[in-house]
Structures are given as structure tokens and as C-alpha cells.
């Protein structure tokens, strides 16, 4: 638990992965929430200059513990790590108390069973009696138990993908995102154990009152950033008669704003927020139904 002196500072603390697949996107998310941090090279703790929020850069595997122990109020981490920790805590007879408060739209990857070339995989039964190398023993154990398969779990701390070649295991259970690590090691995906993405977790301890306002504002800003991801603001001119056709073409947009154009007779300006990316094909189709002066802009912020 935090000591009184720290609590009196009333600064929120959030843990992020120091270097890895989530680092850039996590820092970018906070920056889009308006946070400016002073970050020295190899610095572990970054001071929020314009918000009472400090960023702790640590190994992703340590994030659930830091949040569980209330050293940090919040943590941004992969669901893969969260699930492994949760099951590890439970196996140790100590329930995981940190709570997943948001699933975020980045860091997507899959924890997979992957087998070497030449391994005949015919469903989970093919894993019976095999040695499976992984850094996710608890998630893998649950997967095997759910399928009634008995196999040997070889717990490694890294470089799982070379375990089969080194003769330490018959196959692996590891994270896959692009699949290039598997390909480079002559392994192929056999089954998905867990779909993962970045999540925001929070401390089990009630956030002190003097920090609650900023915790709430940060969550609202995160929601705002997530909401506009991929959204575009589109502006165009068109004949009023083309409005129904245009409405059908605009991807994922709600009622567009229609503005009369001074001195241009029946032509109107149409403004709309599209909740999906707008492709060149869509612009060409819009032109085809009479649109001109089409502009597509990124949406930076949105507050519902
Ligand atoms: C994972 C995994 C592979 C790689 C797969 O490690 O162990 O090495 O990513 O990615 P790919 O399919 O795009 O090739 P990660 O970088 O997440 O490190 P960590 O598990 O040690 O945090
Ligand atoms: Zn890690």
C-alpha cells in the first residue's frame, strides 16, 4: 500500500510497457489524451507536466502486480499478460483483484499453439503426451484442461520459438501477431488459445477522492480517443437530389449536416463524420453520383 506522503501528492500513476509491442501505442494514447511527459532516456518514471499523472515504464509482466499492489492506480497491458497473471494468482490461492476497466483498440495479437513443419496436427488431441514450450503456463494449462488433454508444459522465460529446434519441446504456445516469427522458425499456427488486445486495468483499492476527478477525466479522454480512431470527417458539395445516394455511400455515418451554398442553386455542402476509414473507391463513387470538392479529414478528438 502507498504511504501517506505519496497519497498526499494526489498524483495518479499509470504503468506502461517499457519497450515492446504496446509501448508506442500506449504513449501515443496518453499523448492524445493531452498528457505531456518529460521523458529522459532510460527513465523509469515520467513526470506528467500538465496533468497530475505520472507514467511508470516497466516490463509488461510486472504491470498486473504493480496495479494489484496499488503501487499504480492504472495499467495499460495486454490481455494475454492479464489472463496469465490472473490464473497465476488464483493458482496461488490469492484472487486477482485488479479489474479490467477498458478494452482498447490496439495491441491485438493471439496466443497460439504452433507446431513445427511436418507435425501432423488434428485438433487438441494431437497434443496429448507432447512437450509444449511457453511463457504462458497458466493460460495453456486451462486450455488443455478444458479439452481434457494431458501434455507436458515446459515453462520458458523467452525465445520460445526455438525450443522445438533445440529439442526442448515438441511444439510451442506463444504470441503471434504478424506471424513472421513463426515463419522464420518453420512453425505453423495450429490453434488459437487466446485473442488478446491492450486493456486498461485499475487498482482494487478505491481511488482516493482527490485523484478521482483526474481518473474520471482520463477515462473520458481515453474513450474519446478510442471513439474517433479510424473516424474521418468528410466534406463535399453535391446536388440536393443526390443526397440519398450520398448517404448510402458514406461509411458508418449518422445524419450528415446539409448546408445550402450561396448562389449555387440546388447544390449543397454535406458534412459528415464517418466511423470507418474512407477509401479512394468511396470517393470515386461519390463523384459518380454528383459530388465535387470532396475533402476527407482525420478526426482528432470527440467528446460525446
Ligand atoms: C512475441 C512472441 C514472438 C513475437 C511474435 O513476443 O514471443 O517472439 O512476439 O510476433 P510476430 O508474429 O509479429 O512475429 P513479444 O515481442 O510480445 O515479447 P514478450 O512476450 O517478451 O513481451
Ligand atoms: Zn513480456
Amino acid at each position: 500500500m502507498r504511504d501517506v506522503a505519496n497519497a498526499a501528492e494526489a498524483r495518479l500513476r499509470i504503468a506502461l510497457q517499457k519497450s515492446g509491442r504496446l509501448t508506442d501505442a500506449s504513449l501515443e494514447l496518453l499523448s492524445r489524451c493531452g498528457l505531456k511527459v518529460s521523458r529522459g532516456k532510460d527513465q523509469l518514471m515520467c513526470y506528467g507536466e500538465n496533468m497530475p499523472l505520472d507514467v511508470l515504464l516497466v516490463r509488461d509482466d510486472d504491470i498486473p502486480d504493480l496495479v494489484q499492489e496499488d503501487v499504480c492506480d492504472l495499467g495499460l497491458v495486454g490481455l494475454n499478460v492479464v489472463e496469465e497473471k490472473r490464473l497465476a494468482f488464483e493458482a496461488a490461492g490469492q484472487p486477482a483483484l485488479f479489474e479490467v476497466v477498458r478494452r482498447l483498440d490496439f495491441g491485438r495479437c493471439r496466443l497460439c499453439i504452433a507446431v513445427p513443419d511436418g507435425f501432423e496436427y488434428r485438433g487438441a488431441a494431437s497434443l496429448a503426451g507432447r512437450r509444449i514450450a511457453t511463457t504462458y503456463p497458466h493460460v495453456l494449462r486451462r486450455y488443455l484442461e478444458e479439452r481434457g488433454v494431458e501434455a507436458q508444459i515446459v515453462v520458458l522465460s523467452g525465445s520460445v520459438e526455438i525450443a522445438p529446434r533445440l529439442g526442448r519441446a515438441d511444439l510451442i504456445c506463444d504470441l503471434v501477431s504478424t506471424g513472421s516469427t513463426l515463419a522464420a522458425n518453420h512453425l505453423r499456427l495450429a490453434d488459437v488459445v487466446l485473442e488478446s488486445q491492450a486493456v486498461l486495468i485499475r487498482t482494487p483499492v478505491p481511488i482516493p477522492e482527490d485523484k478521482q476527478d483526474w481518473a474520471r477525466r482520463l477515462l473520458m479522454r481515453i474513450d474519446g480517443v478510442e471513439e474517433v480512431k479510424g473516424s474521418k470527417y468528410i466534406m463535399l458539395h453535391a446536388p440536393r437530389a443526390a443526397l440519398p445516394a450520398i448517404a448510402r455511400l458514406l461509411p458508418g455515418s449518422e445524419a450528415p449536416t446539409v448546408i445550402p451554398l450561396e448562389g449555387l442553386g440546388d447544390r449543397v455542402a454535406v458534412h459528415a463524420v464517418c466511423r470507418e476509414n474512407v477509401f479512394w473507391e468511396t470517393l470515386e463513387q461519390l463523384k459518380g453520383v454528383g459530388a465535387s470538392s470532396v475533402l476527407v479529414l482525420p478526426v482528432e478528438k470527440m467528446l460525446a
Side-chain angles (χ1 to χ4, degrees):
M1 293 297 129
R2 207 165 304 182
D3 64 36
V4 181
N6 271 346
E9 279 181 336
R11 293 183 67 81
L12 281 168
R13 209 178 276 167
I14 185 167
L16 312 186
Q17 185 180 31
K18 187 177 163 64
S19 70
R21 75 173 70 240
L22 298 183
T23 308
D24 290 347
S26 302
L27 285 167
E28 194 196 317
L29 173 63
L30 292 181
S31 144
R32 293 187 69 183
C33 287
L35 179 73
K36 289 196 170 61
V37 290
S38 53
R39 189 188 177 186
K41 210 172 145 36
D42 297 326
Q43 206 180 316
L44 219 67
M45 176 87 114
C46 302
Y47 183 81
E49 290 172 349
N50 58 344
M51 289 187 202
L53 171 65
D54 297 329
V55 177
L56 208 65
L57 293 163
V58 293
R59 270 188 33 187
D60 61 347
D61 313 62
D62 294 334
I63 295 176
D65 300 85
L66 289 167
V67 174
Q68 171 97 351
E69 289 159 19
D70 194 39
V71 174
C72 293
D73 305 282
L74 299 165
L76 270 173
V77 63
L79 189 61
N80 52 309
V81 174
V82 167
E83 277 299 284
E84 178 63 23
K85 279 288 171 181
R86 194 174 62 76
L87 296 173
F89 272 124
E90 280 168 13
Q94 185 195 358
L97 298 171
F98 53 79
E99 191 193 332
V100 174
V101 285
R102 290 292 186 278
R103 285 177 174 245
L104 303 162
D105 190 26
F106 64 90
R108 283 181 204 280
C109 58
R110 301 184 294 173
L111 184 65
C112 296
I113 300 285
V115 296
D117 289 348
F119 186 107
E120 262 194 63
Y121 181 80
R122 295 211 180 89
S126 309
L127 307 178
R130 303 293 193 152
R131 294 165 304 154
I132 312 176
T134 191
T135 54
Y136 295 86
H138 294 92
V139 177
L140 175 59
R141 180 164 301 117
R142 180 181 61 181
Y143 170 90
L144 293 170
E145 277 171 9
E146 282 172 0
R147 284 155 184 79
V149 174
E150 279 193 38
Q152 190 191 332
I153 299 177
V154 180
V155 186
L156 299 181
S157 57
S159 307
V160 168
E161 60 273 9
I162 58 168
R165 264 189 298 157
L166 298 178
R168 297 182 72 185
D170 302 305
L171 62 138
I172 67 167
C173 169
D174 198 14
L175 285 187
V176 178
S177 62
T178 61
S180 60
T181 303
L182 290 191
N185 290 281
H186 306 285
L187 296 162
R188 84 191 132 78
L189 197 153
D191 196 14
V192 176
V193 173
L194 181 81
E195 296 274 358
S196 183
Q197 69 196 92
V199 296
L200 182 71
I201 55 173
R202 58 153 287 166
T203 167
V205 178
I207 294 181
E209 213 166 299
D210 46 2
K211 294 205 254 177
Q212 266 173 26
D213 183 45
W214 269 106
R216 193 183 49 79
R217 285 171 75 179
L218 180 66
L219 273 177
M220 238 167 59
R221 291 182 185 192
I222 288 176
D223 290 342
V225 171
E226 288 283 297
E227 177 131 14
V228 297
K229 260 197 192 162
S231 291
K232 299 289 175 205
Y233 193 77
I234 183 161
M235 305 195 282
L236 55 86
H237 291 178
R240 193 175 276 279
L243 286 177
I246 287 172
R248 277 193 298 274
L249 286 171
L250 293 176
S253 81
E254 283 150 33
T257 307
V258 179
I259 310 154
L261 288 169
E262 192 65 30
L264 281 183
D266 212 25
R267 286 188 84 75
V268 290
V270 178
H271 290 196
V273 173
C274 296
R275 297 305 178 90
E276 295 160 37
N277 214 340
V278 181
F279 296 103
W280 280 109
E281 287 73 13
T282 308
L283 300 190
E284 288 157 3
Q285 289 166 339
L286 286 167
K287 209 169 150 56
V289 300
S292 61
S293 310
V294 186
L295 273 182
V296 181
L297 309 166
V299 177
E300 196 185 275
K301 296 185 179 72
M302 192 187 287
L303 200 61

